[in-house]
Amino acid sequence: MSSTIAFCRNRVLVHAQRARFPVPSPFASPLKRLHSMRLAPATTVSTLRVRSGRSATSFLSSTPHSSKRLATSTTPHSSAVDPAETEALLCLEKGTQKLEEGDVEGAKSYYKRSVDIKRDAGSLFNLGVTHYHLKEFDDAINAWKESIALQPSSPDAHTNLASAYIISPVSRPDLALHHLRIASSLAPEDPEIAFNLAAVLEACGRLEEALTQYKRSNEYGVERAQVHIRNVSAKILGQKMKDAAHETDTR
């Protein structure tokens, strides 16, 4: 697995305010949430999504366009009258504020408290974001896996989990691909997910599939995907020429 894979935008969905329904997040606009970091370049994959009281987002770009997305509470039966839930939501808001101020440890403390009060997909999602930023990848993976178990339809959680699988000391591109494919099926027109999926496919040597995803990403607005389309096309052509030459030599 190439170490040059870079998640251009790790999705960090940071829950802040209450929202009954998640709002789809437009990737290339100045995120409507909190921005997270982007991981390094080369075959770029994207970033983390953070959630706030707005909507969620995606990965992309080898340039550090950091992007944190904030998450929202999507529990349909929540009640503002429940003191425990009120405190949990307050901790989420304070955690998001700390994260925006750059105090990741402080944010983690508030998110953990929120999770201890009430384990829901949003609080676990945001707790995973802080673990990720602190390079506590196993903890980030566990938090996002639990968040997905509670809310399997979140493309952002799958995207962030893929990012953690790629960047962790023991890289698992197979699991990253699995979750990026799920994210892509949940948000088929998200250009950042397509870009990240292409980057992992390229790093795994699956060039034809990578080319398809880079083209999708470009069609949906990721201009920098054009560079990767040219590079991957050249690799495919080079491989075909090499195979043809080998076939000629063996005759």
Side-chain angles (χ1 to χ4, degrees):
M1 183 68 186
S2 169
S3 59
T4 56
I5 290 190
F7 278 85
C8 348
R9 192 154 83 226
N10 311 310
R11 306 199 175 191
V12 191
L13 298 152
V14 177
H15 276 240
Q17 310 167 9
R18 299 280 311 276
R20 292 289 182 187
F21 305 99
V23 190
S25 45
F27 115 85
S29 52
L31 311 180
K32 300 197 171 166
R33 285 156 252 183
L34 191 61
H35 278 265
S36 94
M37 11 155 292
R38 305 218 171 192
L39 304 179
T43 321
T44 29
V45 187
S46 195
T47 41
L48 277 185
R49 302 194 172 189
V50 188
R51 293 192 176 186
S52 116
R54 288 147 271 188
S55 52
T57 39
S58 31
F59 281 147
L60 156 79
S61 163
S62 58
T63 54
H65 260 16
S66 162
S67 157
K68 296 178 212 163
R69 306 219 177 177
L70 309 175
T72 60
S73 173
T74 54
T75 314
H77 349 300
S78 19
S79 164
V81 217
D82 181 351
E85 183 173 353
T86 300
E87 185 180 356
L89 289 171
L90 182 61
C91 288
L92 279 176
E93 292 173 0
K94 288 183 176 178
T96 299
Q97 183 179 351
K98 288 290 183 184
L99 196 58
E100 289 176 328
E101 292 170 354
D103 182 358
V104 183
E105 284 286 1
K108 174 182 164 183
S109 177
Y110 277 115
Y111 289 145
K112 189 172 186 313
R113 187 175 170 193
S114 180
V115 167
D116 289 342
I117 296 170
K118 181 178 181 181
R119 300 184 83 82
D120 67 16
S123 56
L124 285 160
F125 183 100
N126 294 347
L127 180 60
V129 169
T130 59
H131 282 310
Y132 184 97
H133 280 287
L134 294 168
K135 302 187 187 304
E136 299 165 350
F137 301 117
D138 287 344
D139 290 332
I141 287 169
N142 290 333
W144 284 327
K145 284 170 71 176
E146 189 174 351
S147 178
I148 287 170
L150 293 170
Q151 188 180 339
S153 61
S154 167
D156 294 313
H158 285 287
T159 301
N160 279 3
L161 182 54
S163 176
Y165 277 131
I166 285 294
I167 205 71
S168 62
V170 180
S171 183
R172 291 296 307 270
D174 55 327
L175 293 177
L177 277 177
H178 171 70
H179 286 283
L180 282 171
R181 288 190 192 283
I182 293 175
S184 182
S185 70
L186 292 169
E189 295 186 4
D190 188 313
E192 298 178 32
I193 292 176
F195 188 96
N196 293 340
L197 178 55
V200 178
L201 286 166
E202 181 183 356
C204 291
R206 298 163 76 162
L207 301 181
E208 296 286 356
E209 290 179 82
L211 182 59
T212 299
Q213 295 301 325
Y214 279 132
K215 286 179 177 179
R216 283 185 60 230
S217 178
N218 184 55
E219 285 169 10
Y220 290 129
V222 181
E223 293 183 6
R224 64 180 308 280
Q226 294 174 13
V227 175
H228 295 276
I229 290 171
R230 290 194 295 271
N231 290 344
V232 172
S233 296
K235 287 182 183 180
I236 292 172
L237 178 59
Q239 187 60 54
K240 287 180 178 177
M241 292 174 66
K242 182 179 176 182
D243 292 345
H246 178 69
E247 189 179 338
T248 302
D249 291 342
T250 54
R251 283 177 182 171

